[in-house]
Amino acid sequence: MSIRAYDVVIVGSGAAGLTAAIHLAQDKKVLVLAKGALDGGSTAWAQGGIAAVLDAGDSFERHIEDTMVAGCGLNDRATVEFVVSGAPAAIERLAELGVPFNEAEQFGERWHLTREGGHSHRRIVHVDDATGAAVQKALVKAARENPNITLMADMVAIDLITSRHCIRYSGDGHVWGVYAFNRSTGHVDAFTARATILATGGAGRAYLFSTAPRGATGDGIAMAWRAGCRVSNMEMNQFHPTCLYDLEVKNFLITEAVRGEGGRLKLPPGVPGGGKRFMDRFDKRGELAPRDIVARAIDHEIKRLGLDYVHLDISHKTPEFIMEHFPTIHARLLDLGIDITKDPIPVVPAQHYTCGGVIIDLDGRTDLPGLYAAGEVTESGLHGANRLASNSLLECFVFGEAAARNIRAHWEDLSPPPPIRPWDESRVTDSDEEVIVTHNWKEIRRFMWDYVGIVRTTKRLERAKRRVELLSQEVDEYYGNFRVTPDLIELRNLVEVARLVIRSALARKESRGLHCTLDYPEVLAEAKDTVLTP
Ligand SMILES: Cc1cc2nc3c(=O)[nH]c(=O)nc-3n(C[C@H](O)[C@H](O)[C@H](O)COP(=O)(O)OP(=O)(O)OC[C@H]3O[C@@H](n4cnc5c(N)ncnc54)[C@H](O)[C@@H]3O)c2cc1C
């Protein structure tokens, strides 16, 4: 096993990790790890854009207010102010790095701004409908060109290096880097540093259907929790109403524009009311009701009738109209045997964003000395009980920079890493039963979907709790006996994250924002974070 030292180790090469790296690299040697390709996180998948007050008629106060309304009273106002006021400068820096934001068509304005649900003004800067890909490309380019930044793909971080991994145990909880599985050698390496930043993204893959990429398994949340950090509001998972129901392709988003252009949600044939629309029973706006209402209505019908999916049907429009408006969806679904000019699309809601996470302060500091975090892995207080569209990339830029600033300003206070113990592979053997890993992966995602989804009950949550405890014991045993593999590392983290979500959901005795339970339908007078302490 090799042990390599850097000034700062960053786990994650998305918007949060690379922003931090670029700011730190002014005078620090930085290592950035990604568990697959450098652009394998959610950042590259973001479509809509980034929220920022850039129009003369808009104001910070309105952006703050919109964020607080979406967050249903659970946001931290100081954090919201901090992020919103940092947005214009963050956009400026991205433009300097070469992100080709769409320009305004009107004279006197710089960027073209769109408006999204929940925003009271046009304030979303974007690069067509593929903003994330353009941001990711510009950040990777800037990082590659910086001699102080080392980028390593295919390195799966396993655990944080804490004082218990040191040769002389110092017991102060300090974090000095990570152990990571090197996919190309099949062995575990150690990377030490004075400061470590977790920028590992969300945990969408704890659910059967998620719009997030394959690697969104909550690794940073689980690593931080195991090392001793508190986490908060893990029950707050945002769901997108319409994702294709296909057990192979589990993350193909059917844009809300399909409903916007007249798409009808119907029950599938063979059940009472089959072939008929159902949204008007839930909201007078029908299919055009807000995201969370549509997602809950679909979930309700699926659970009530024991369905796998409902139908989204746009086939009453002409084939020309459909192909002109939705060429990508039409082509993709045709490949899967669905002709949307004739057939309805089977859809389910899908997990879309992890609002909860590792608790950080305005400097990106976690509970442990030397450990920072930024982006979707965190609970900074920005989103509260529900995320306002296009605020999440923004959070990555503001907190990536904040963490870097704090590390540079307090460099002398961060203690250098002491000698550490290498990763011990002598006790373990190769697994002869990989099927346990694949089976448990599927099982977690299935019961999280069925019992800890959009609409919850205490009974369903208790059911999920019993299952996750059993899986947790099984995975711990397996992890203790066999050599680590990327799938096993992720499974161990998924189980941990699932436990945190279930515990948090059981702890919240009200329905607020994204947490909706039939047993406690009211909103309590006082808004409180669900904080879990290891
Ligand atoms: C389909 C979709 C559309 C979206 N659209 C928008 C939008 O329009 N606007 C918006 O603001 N937000 C949007 N979001 C949300 C936004 O994209 C994410 O919140 C944001 O990109 C998260 O960035 P991040 O840097 O925190 O993590 P990510 O970009 O997810 O990066 C995570 C990084 O961590 C690495 N990593 C994870 N675990 C490990 C490990 N164990 N070891 C080593 N490396 C690891 C990954 O390899 C990756 O490099 C969207 C999300 C999705 C899924």
Side-chain angles (χ1 to χ4, degrees):
M1 180 187 112
S2 75
I3 302 179
R4 276 171 272 177
Y6 292 83
D7 290 337
V8 182
V9 170
I10 300 175
V11 190
S13 59
L18 291 179
T19 301
I22 291 162
H23 285 279
L24 280 161
Q26 293 173 49
D27 54 6
K28 301 285 171 266
K29 294 275 181 207
V30 185
L31 170 69
V32 180
L33 302 179
K35 71 171 159 182
L38 291 173
D39 60 358
S42 294
T43 296
W45 292 26
Q47 299 166 353
I50 308 161
V53 172
L54 296 164
D55 182 85
D58 196 6
S59 69
F60 286 157
E61 199 42 51
R62 287 176 73 174
H63 189 181
I64 291 166
E65 225 27 66
D66 293 345
T67 304
M68 304 281 292
V69 168
C72 304
L74 212 59
N75 324 66
D76 179 72
R77 191 169 176 103
T79 307
V80 179
E81 287 174 3
F82 176 65
V83 175
V84 165
S85 61
I91 301 298
E92 192 56 50
R93 278 190 283 278
L94 288 170
E96 281 164 17
L97 288 181
V99 178
F101 291 119
N102 288 31
E103 289 175 11
E105 283 144 18
Q106 277 161 312
F107 181 73
E109 288 171 15
R110 190 160 171 213
W111 308 122
H112 179 259
L113 303 174
T114 59
R115 183 169 169 180
E116 288 183 342
H119 288 274
S120 59
H121 204 88
R122 295 177 82 86
R123 63 168 77 100
I124 317 296
V125 280
H126 62 108
V127 182
D128 301 326
D129 61 354
T131 310
V135 166
Q136 180 78 56
K137 193 169 157 204
L139 289 173
V140 169
K141 181 169 180 287
R144 273 196 213 286
E145 286 169 356
N146 194 313
N148 276 346
I149 299 177
T150 305
L151 298 169
M152 279 190 203
D154 290 326
M155 282 284 187
V156 189
I158 306 170
D159 264 323
L160 294 163
I161 297 172
T162 59
S163 31
R164 74 190 173 88
H165 301 105
C166 298
I167 288 171
R168 275 178 300 283
Y169 181 70
S170 76
D172 69 351
H174 203 293
V175 172
W176 284 294
V178 288
Y179 291 106
F181 178 84
N182 184 334
R183 287 185 199 259
S184 46
T185 64
H187 291 290
V188 176
D189 294 328
F191 301 98
T192 62
R194 275 196 200 202
T196 306
I197 304 179
L198 288 173
T200 46
R205 287 304 175 112
Y207 286 92
L208 183 60
F209 293 97
S210 167
T211 61
R214 164 72 177 71
T217 48
D219 297 2
I221 299 173
M223 282 192 275
W225 171 258
R226 284 195 292 267
C229 290
R230 288 169 308 148
V231 298
S232 172
N233 297 344
M234 287 297 297
E235 70 277 29
M236 299 301 176
N237 271 290
Q238 191 173 61
F239 286 80
H240 192 283
T242 52
C243 169
L244 174 71
Y245 176 83
D246 182 304
L247 289 176
E248 288 305 312
V249 187
K250 297 193 193 80
N251 60 2
F252 187 64
L253 199 84
I254 309 292
T255 161
E256 291 180 79
V258 173
R259 281 180 289 121
E261 295 298 338
R264 297 167 181 167
L265 283 164
K266 295 177 180 172
L267 294 175
V271 295
K276 299 224 170 75
R277 292 166 82 173
F278 59 87
M279 269 314 298
D280 52 356
R281 279 193 273 117
F282 295 87
D283 194 286
K284 61 177 185 315
R285 289 163 288 187
E287 280 84 357
L288 298 181
R291 239 185 215 192
D292 49 337
I293 293 177
V294 179
R296 264 176 218 154
I298 297 175
D299 184 71
H300 180 272
E301 293 302 275
I302 285 177
K303 294 232 165 64
R304 182 174 72 88
L305 296 162
L307 304 171
D308 286 328
Y309 52 79
V310 296
H311 276 151
L312 177 59
D313 192 358
I314 186 108
S315 63
H316 51 281
K317 297 274 181 184
T318 64
E320 295 72 31
F321 177 92
I322 293 171
M323 284 189 288
E324 188 194 327
H325 283 77
F326 307 110
T328 316
I329 297 178
H330 176 255
R332 183 77 205 274
L333 293 194
L334 211 50
D335 280 349
L336 297 168
I338 301 168
D339 180 352
I340 64 170
T341 64
K342 298 192 192 105
D343 308 320
I345 311 167
V347 291
V348 284
Q351 197 281 358
H352 189 52
Y353 186 79
T354 309
C355 287
V358 182
I359 296 180
I360 55 164
D361 66 11
L362 292 185
D363 294 315
R365 285 183 299 191
T366 69
D367 289 340
L368 300 180
L371 182 66
Y372 294 73
E376 197 170 335
V377 66
T378 67
E379 201 285 292
S380 66
L382 175 66
H383 307 300
N386 197 353
R387 172 191 73 129
L388 180 66
S390 291
N391 266 355
S392 36
L393 279 171
L394 175 59
E395 183 185 34
C396 295
F397 306 126
V398 172
F399 277 100
E401 183 177 345
R405 201 170 39 236
N406 189 275
I407 291 169
R408 294 181 64 227
H410 297 276
W411 187 247
E412 295 308 325
D413 306 332
L414 293 162
S415 59
I420 62 153
R421 283 189 268 117
W423 187 260
D424 184 7
E425 285 184 290
S426 60
R427 292 173 302 111
V428 291
T429 59
D430 282 331
S431 153
D432 53 359
E433 274 199 293
E434 273 301 307
V435 65
I436 294 180
V437 176
T438 45
H439 174 90
N440 288 351
W441 248 90
K442 284 185 191 151
E443 194 177 333
I444 293 179
R445 299 185 66 199
R446 183 84 239 184
F447 74 66
M448 286 297 285
W449 177 252
D450 287 339
Y451 302 146
V452 199
I454 300 172
V455 179
R456 297 155 181 180
T457 65
T458 305
K459 204 163 140 194
R460 284 184 209 144
L461 292 173
E462 292 288 358
R463 211 171 271 161
K465 188 174 166 216
R466 284 196 292 278
R467 279 163 175 77
V468 84
E469 292 307 334
L470 204 67
L471 278 183
S472 174
Q473 283 168 19
E474 219 171 278
V475 170
D476 276 354
E477 196 180 309
Y478 196 86
Y479 184 81
N481 291 329
F482 297 113
R483 205 157 272 140
V484 289
T485 62
D487 281 350
L488 177 57
I489 295 165
E490 291 184 334
L491 174 65
R492 181 173 173 239
N493 295 328
L494 272 183
V495 173
E496 201 71 84
V497 168
R499 284 174 83 186
L500 296 173
V501 174
I502 297 165
R503 267 182 70 182
S504 306
L506 278 165
R508 187 171 287 282
K509 309 283 189 220
E510 62 167 349
S511 289
R512 181 188 296 275
L514 299 165
H515 177 70
C516 171
T517 163
L518 300 180
D519 293 305
Y520 302 97
E522 307 298 329
V523 184
L524 295 179
E526 195 187 351
K528 272 194 185 160
D529 289 324
T530 310
V531 177
L532 300 182
T533 307

